[in-house]
Amino acid sequence: MVLHDHVYFAVADMVSARNGTKILHFQDREPLLIEGPITVLRQVEYAVSFGEIVYSRP
């Protein structure tokens, strides 16, 4: 998940461009060109029965 324009978007794909830049592709919006560091968050699911955090990787 990437925060852009005050909304979190799920990253569908990431490709490398020139000079270390990245292009993030989303399902719900146009691609985003990233030229520097950016924070990307992973969705977290909670297993209610055990009270443990389970990381999901789609």
Side-chain angles (χ1 to χ4, degrees):
M1 304 293 287
V2 172
L3 181 62
H4 184 68
D5 292 336
H6 307 289
V7 178
Y8 284 96
F9 293 96
V11 177
D13 191 24
M14 179 182 70
V15 294
S16 295
R18 293 178 268 170
N19 301 326
T21 59
K22 304 287 184 197
I23 301 172
L24 300 180
H25 293 273
F26 306 94
Q27 290 182 344
D28 303 328
R29 61 162 285 134
E30 66 276 357
L32 181 64
L33 180 67
I34 304 297
E35 298 185 50
I38 188 170
T39 301
V40 177
L41 304 172
R42 190 182 305 261
Q43 288 181 323
V44 176
E45 296 180 6
Y46 294 94
V48 178
S49 60
F50 302 112
E52 298 176 0
I53 297 175
V54 178
Y55 294 99
S56 63
R57 293 184 182 211

XYZ file of all heavy atoms in Angstrom:
467
model
N 0.852 -1.167 0.000
C 0.000 0.000 0.000
C 0.901 1.234 0.000
O 1.868 1.298 0.732
C -0.895 0.007 1.231
C -1.765 -1.232 1.415
S -3.018 -1.418 0.187
C -4.162 -0.165 0.641
N 0.548 2.185 -0.844
C 1.305 3.429 -0.958
C 0.353 4.591 -0.732
O -0.739 4.624 -1.304
C 1.953 3.551 -2.354
C 2.577 4.911 -2.547
C 3.006 2.473 -2.541
N 0.764 5.520 0.112
C -0.034 6.716 0.364
C 0.272 7.746 -0.714
O 1.416 8.156 -0.895
C 0.287 7.296 1.743
C -0.493 8.531 2.155
C -1.986 8.225 2.230
C 0.007 9.061 3.483
N -0.769 8.137 -1.462
C -0.618 9.136 -2.517
C -1.898 9.954 -2.587
O -2.994 9.390 -2.655
C -0.338 8.463 -3.863
C -0.084 9.434 -4.967
N 1.046 10.222 -5.007
C -0.810 9.757 -6.045
C 0.998 10.971 -6.079
N -0.131 10.721 -6.729
N -1.783 11.263 -2.540
C -2.943 12.166 -2.536
C -3.887 11.853 -1.375
O -5.107 11.856 -1.524
C -3.699 12.100 -3.864
C -2.910 12.673 -5.014
O -2.016 13.515 -4.762
O -3.175 12.293 -6.165
N -3.321 11.522 -0.202
C -4.066 11.249 1.028
C -4.938 9.993 0.949
O -5.888 9.843 1.709
C -4.925 12.453 1.435
C -4.139 13.722 1.522
N -3.233 13.957 2.528
C -4.099 14.807 0.717
C -2.677 15.144 2.348
N -3.176 15.684 1.250
N -4.630 9.081 0.020
C -5.370 7.827 -0.138
C -4.342 6.706 -0.282
O -3.326 6.866 -0.957
C -6.282 7.868 -1.389
C -7.005 6.551 -1.580
C -7.274 9.020 -1.294
N -4.612 5.543 0.331
C -3.741 4.381 0.186
C -4.163 3.582 -1.044
O -5.339 3.288 -1.230
C -3.802 3.485 1.424
C -3.018 4.050 2.578
C -3.641 4.787 3.566
C -1.648 3.856 2.661
C -2.918 5.314 4.631
C -0.912 4.378 3.710
C -1.558 5.097 4.687
O -0.837 5.620 5.725
N -3.200 3.237 -1.883
C -3.440 2.441 -3.078
C -2.619 1.164 -2.997
O -1.457 1.194 -2.597
C -3.032 3.212 -4.340
C -3.884 4.407 -4.624
C -3.481 5.667 -4.213
C -5.081 4.273 -5.300
C -4.255 6.781 -4.477
C -5.867 5.383 -5.569
C -5.458 6.633 -5.153
N -3.206 0.049 -3.435
C -2.496 -1.229 -3.464
C -1.614 -1.291 -4.702
O -2.066 -1.028 -5.815
C -3.489 -2.379 -3.467
N -0.356 -1.631 -4.511
C 0.590 -1.746 -5.626
C 0.378 -3.096 -6.295
O 0.463 -4.137 -5.656
C 2.047 -1.615 -5.126
C 3.028 -1.798 -6.260
C 2.258 -0.282 -4.433
N 0.100 -3.068 -7.602
C -0.097 -4.307 -8.355
C 1.214 -4.809 -8.954
O 1.440 -6.011 -9.054
C -1.129 -4.090 -9.462
N 2.107 -3.877 -9.334
C 3.373 -4.252 -9.957
C 4.353 -3.089 -9.833
O 3.952 -1.933 -9.725
C 3.146 -4.584 -11.432
C 4.361 -5.233 -12.084
O 5.180 -5.835 -11.352
O 4.487 -5.141 -13.309
N 5.648 -3.405 -9.850
C 6.682 -2.383 -9.804
C 7.741 -2.741 -10.836
O 8.181 -3.888 -10.907
C 7.321 -2.312 -8.422
C 8.427 -1.281 -8.329
S 9.222 -1.215 -6.721
C 10.099 -2.764 -6.694
N 8.132 -1.760 -11.644
C 9.183 -1.988 -12.644
C 10.255 -0.918 -12.500
O 9.980 0.186 -12.036
C 8.618 -1.987 -14.081
C 7.691 -3.159 -14.304
C 7.920 -0.689 -14.394
N 11.474 -1.254 -12.890
C 12.580 -0.297 -12.845
C 12.583 0.547 -14.102
O 12.321 0.060 -15.191
C 13.909 -1.028 -12.731
O 13.978 -1.699 -11.501
N 12.905 1.814 -13.922
C 13.052 2.732 -15.041
C 14.508 3.188 -15.080
O 15.381 2.537 -14.519
C 12.094 3.913 -14.882
N 14.785 4.311 -15.685
C 16.149 4.825 -15.784
C 16.646 5.411 -14.473
O 15.872 5.893 -13.666
C 16.211 5.922 -16.840
C 15.966 5.431 -18.226
C 15.992 6.585 -19.175
N 14.598 7.048 -19.274
C 14.213 8.148 -19.862
N 15.089 8.943 -20.388
N 12.958 8.474 -19.926
N 17.939 5.387 -14.269
C 18.621 6.054 -13.156
C 18.060 5.702 -11.778
O 17.971 6.549 -10.898
C 18.590 7.573 -13.355
C 19.241 8.001 -14.641
O 20.211 7.378 -15.065
N 18.719 9.022 -15.268
N 17.643 4.465 -11.592
C 17.171 4.030 -10.281
C 15.748 4.404 -9.947
O 15.297 4.164 -8.834
N 15.020 5.008 -10.867
C 13.622 5.332 -10.595
C 12.771 4.080 -10.748
O 13.152 3.116 -11.408
C 13.095 6.434 -11.544
O 13.217 5.977 -12.884
C 13.850 7.726 -11.368
N 11.627 4.088 -10.125
C 10.686 2.966 -10.176
C 9.336 3.464 -10.686
O 8.964 4.616 -10.465
C 10.484 2.347 -8.788
C 11.750 1.895 -8.103
C 12.295 0.653 -8.741
C 13.507 0.189 -7.937
N 14.328 -0.726 -8.634
N 8.610 2.582 -11.349
C 7.246 2.879 -11.766
C 6.334 1.908 -11.032
O 6.479 0.690 -11.159
C 7.073 2.721 -13.286
C 8.023 3.654 -14.023
C 5.621 2.996 -13.685
C 8.063 3.451 -15.511
N 5.429 2.446 -10.218
C 4.475 1.631 -9.482
C 3.171 1.582 -10.273
O 2.630 2.612 -10.658
C 4.215 2.219 -8.098
C 5.427 2.354 -7.180
C 5.004 2.950 -5.849
C 6.117 1.032 -6.975
N 2.680 0.372 -10.503
C 1.419 0.189 -11.213
C 0.341 -0.207 -10.206
O 0.592 -1.013 -9.305
C 1.547 -0.894 -12.289
C 2.453 -0.501 -13.405
N 2.015 0.207 -14.495
C 3.776 -0.687 -13.603
C 3.016 0.430 -15.316
N 4.111 -0.100 -14.789
N -0.841 0.349 -10.376
C -1.971 0.112 -9.484
C -3.158 -0.403 -10.293
O -3.214 -0.224 -11.507
C -2.384 1.416 -8.777
C -1.253 2.085 -8.056
C -0.504 3.082 -8.671
C -0.930 1.730 -6.765
C 0.539 3.711 -8.014
C 0.123 2.344 -6.095
C 0.853 3.337 -6.731
N -4.139 -0.984 -9.622
C -5.362 -1.400 -10.296
C -6.343 -0.237 -10.414
O -7.106 -0.162 -11.367
C -6.038 -2.542 -9.541
C -5.267 -3.830 -9.618
C -5.972 -4.952 -8.899
O -6.884 -4.736 -8.108
N -5.559 -6.172 -9.176
N -6.338 0.680 -9.455
C -7.374 1.703 -9.359
C -6.940 3.101 -9.785
O -7.684 4.046 -9.599
C -7.899 1.771 -7.924
C -8.439 0.434 -7.452
O -8.970 -0.313 -8.284
O -8.321 0.150 -6.256
N -5.743 3.264 -10.341
C -5.274 4.587 -10.753
C -4.141 4.434 -11.764
O -3.656 3.336 -12.000
C -4.819 5.436 -9.561
C -3.672 4.856 -8.759
C -2.959 5.871 -7.890
N -2.126 6.698 -8.751
C -2.063 8.019 -8.686
N -2.745 8.667 -7.791
N -1.294 8.705 -9.494
N -3.717 5.555 -12.327
C -2.629 5.525 -13.308
C -1.303 5.231 -12.597
O -1.182 5.416 -11.398
C -2.564 6.857 -14.069
C -2.179 8.048 -13.220
C -3.329 8.694 -12.475
O -4.485 8.276 -12.633
O -3.056 9.622 -11.689
N -0.287 4.778 -13.344
C 1.024 4.478 -12.741
C 1.656 5.714 -12.103
O 1.361 6.851 -12.465
C 1.861 4.006 -13.927
C 0.879 3.560 -14.936
C -0.317 4.433 -14.759
N 2.533 5.481 -11.141
C 3.194 6.546 -10.407
C 4.701 6.367 -10.544
O 5.239 5.291 -10.277
C 2.791 6.474 -8.930
C 3.359 7.513 -7.987
C 2.870 8.904 -8.370
C 2.939 7.187 -6.561
N 5.403 7.421 -10.988
C 6.853 7.403 -11.127
C 7.480 7.835 -9.809
O 7.176 8.903 -9.289
C 7.293 8.348 -12.249
C 8.788 8.427 -12.504
C 9.304 7.102 -13.054
C 9.093 9.560 -13.460
N 8.349 7.004 -9.246
C 9.001 7.269 -7.968
C 10.482 7.509 -8.233
O 11.173 6.647 -8.755
C 8.832 6.068 -7.002
C 7.372 5.720 -6.815
C 9.509 6.345 -5.686
C 6.545 6.793 -6.181
N 10.970 8.694 -7.855
C 12.364 9.038 -8.107
C 13.226 9.011 -6.847
O 14.439 9.168 -6.932
C 12.434 10.420 -8.742
C 11.729 10.462 -10.085
C 11.884 11.794 -10.775
O 13.029 12.257 -10.864
O 10.871 12.353 -11.201
N 12.641 8.827 -5.684
C 13.400 8.796 -4.445
C 12.796 7.793 -3.484
O 11.936 7.001 -3.848
N 13.241 7.823 -2.237
C 12.702 6.894 -1.235
C 11.214 7.135 -0.999
O 10.735 8.269 -1.066
C 13.491 7.228 0.030
C 14.677 7.987 -0.427
C 14.289 8.671 -1.698
N 10.493 6.063 -0.745
C 9.061 6.138 -0.462
C 8.719 5.029 0.528
O 9.362 3.972 0.536
C 8.227 6.002 -1.754
C 6.752 6.268 -1.478
C 8.431 4.668 -2.411
C 5.901 6.379 -2.708
N 7.748 5.276 1.373
C 7.301 4.270 2.330
C 6.204 3.422 1.702
O 5.214 3.950 1.196
C 6.752 4.931 3.609
O 7.793 5.728 4.180
C 6.302 3.898 4.612
N 6.407 2.110 1.719
C 5.422 1.162 1.206
C 5.005 0.288 2.376
O 5.850 -0.263 3.077
C 6.008 0.302 0.068
C 5.001 -0.719 -0.405
C 6.471 1.189 -1.079
N 3.703 0.181 2.597
C 3.170 -0.597 3.713
C 2.574 -1.905 3.223
O 1.935 -1.949 2.184
C 2.096 0.209 4.444
C 2.544 1.585 4.946
C 1.354 2.367 5.467
C 3.596 1.439 6.005
N 2.789 -2.961 3.975
C 2.230 -4.271 3.656
C 0.943 -4.461 4.457
O 0.879 -4.120 5.632
C 3.235 -5.355 4.034
C 2.891 -6.708 3.543
C 3.921 -7.718 4.023
N 5.269 -7.349 3.656
C 5.928 -7.841 2.613
N 5.349 -8.714 1.831
N 7.152 -7.465 2.359
N -0.076 -5.021 3.815
C -1.323 -5.280 4.527
C -1.091 -6.349 5.583
O -0.363 -7.309 5.371
C -2.403 -5.762 3.568
C -2.923 -4.673 2.665
C -4.015 -5.176 1.748
O -3.959 -6.300 1.277
N -4.999 -4.348 1.505
N -1.709 -6.164 6.729
C -1.561 -7.105 7.840
C -2.934 -7.657 8.185
O -3.913 -6.922 8.274
C -0.961 -6.397 9.080
C -0.893 -7.352 10.258
C 0.411 -5.850 8.764
N -3.011 -8.972 8.378
C -4.237 -9.623 8.811
C -4.012 -10.180 10.212
O -2.921 -10.619 10.547
C -4.609 -10.754 7.865
C -4.936 -10.289 6.466
C -5.291 -11.445 5.555
O -5.388 -12.586 6.048
O -5.450 -11.201 4.356
N -5.034 -10.156 11.024
C -4.933 -10.674 12.381
C -5.679 -11.997 12.481
O -6.812 -12.121 12.029
C -5.539 -9.687 13.383
C -4.761 -8.398 13.473
C -5.114 -7.287 12.715
C -3.655 -8.301 14.298
C -4.385 -6.113 12.784
C -2.909 -7.129 14.373
C -3.294 -6.040 13.614
O -2.564 -4.886 13.680
N -5.032 -12.999 13.055
C -5.681 -14.281 13.322
C -6.374 -14.146 14.671
O -5.724 -14.169 15.717
C -4.657 -15.412 13.328
N -7.677 -13.983 14.667
C -8.434 -13.693 15.882
C -8.328 -14.826 16.897
O -8.180 -14.586 18.089
C -9.921 -13.425 15.523
C -10.726 -13.174 16.786
C -10.031 -12.249 14.574
N -8.335 -16.069 16.459
C -8.346 -17.184 17.398
C -7.047 -17.295 18.201
O -7.066 -17.709 19.339
C -8.626 -18.496 16.667
O -7.625 -18.723 15.704
N -5.916 -16.923 17.610
C -4.644 -17.054 18.302
C -4.094 -15.716 18.795
O -3.167 -15.690 19.576
C -3.599 -17.704 17.382
C -4.000 -19.051 16.884
C -4.278 -19.243 15.542
C -4.109 -20.111 17.750
C -4.658 -20.481 15.083
C -4.483 -21.363 17.306
C -4.766 -21.546 15.954
N -4.640 -14.608 18.310
C -4.140 -13.310 18.701
C -2.774 -12.991 18.127
O -2.054 -12.158 18.643
N -2.407 -13.671 17.043
C -1.107 -13.447 16.419
C -1.282 -12.635 15.138
O -2.322 -12.677 14.508
C -0.453 -14.779 16.067
C -0.171 -15.644 17.274
C 0.391 -16.992 16.886
O 0.553 -17.246 15.681
O 0.659 -17.783 17.788
N -0.242 -11.922 14.764
C -0.252 -11.185 13.515
C 0.209 -12.110 12.404
O 1.228 -12.783 12.524
C 0.659 -9.946 13.585
C 0.138 -8.973 14.646
C 0.752 -9.262 12.228
C 1.035 -7.782 14.870
N -0.552 -12.149 11.317
C -0.219 -12.969 10.168
C 0.023 -12.039 8.984
O -0.841 -11.269 8.630
C -1.363 -13.955 9.836
C -1.023 -14.761 8.610
C -1.643 -14.849 11.027
N 1.211 -12.091 8.413
C 1.530 -11.253 7.254
C 1.064 -11.971 5.991
O 1.367 -13.123 5.788
C 3.034 -10.996 7.168
C 3.540 -10.179 8.323
C 4.148 -10.767 9.417
C 3.367 -8.792 8.324
C 4.595 -10.013 10.488
C 3.820 -8.033 9.375
C 4.431 -8.652 10.450
O 4.873 -7.900 11.512
N 0.293 -11.260 5.171
C -0.193 -11.862 3.940
C 0.584 -11.306 2.755
O 0.864 -10.122 2.699
C -1.684 -11.587 3.755
O -1.920 -10.208 3.619
N 0.944 -12.175 1.853
C 1.638 -11.769 0.619
C 0.804 -12.240 -0.549
O 0.819 -13.430 -0.864
C 3.020 -12.380 0.539
C 3.936 -11.840 1.587
C 5.309 -12.392 1.402
N 6.155 -11.888 2.458
C 7.430 -11.672 2.312
N 8.014 -11.925 1.192
N 8.125 -11.189 3.322
N 0.079 -11.321 -1.198
C -0.777 -11.750 -2.311
C 0.023 -12.228 -3.501
O 1.150 -11.988 -3.676
C -1.560 -10.496 -2.683
C -0.908 -9.353 -1.985
C 0.002 -9.917 -0.936
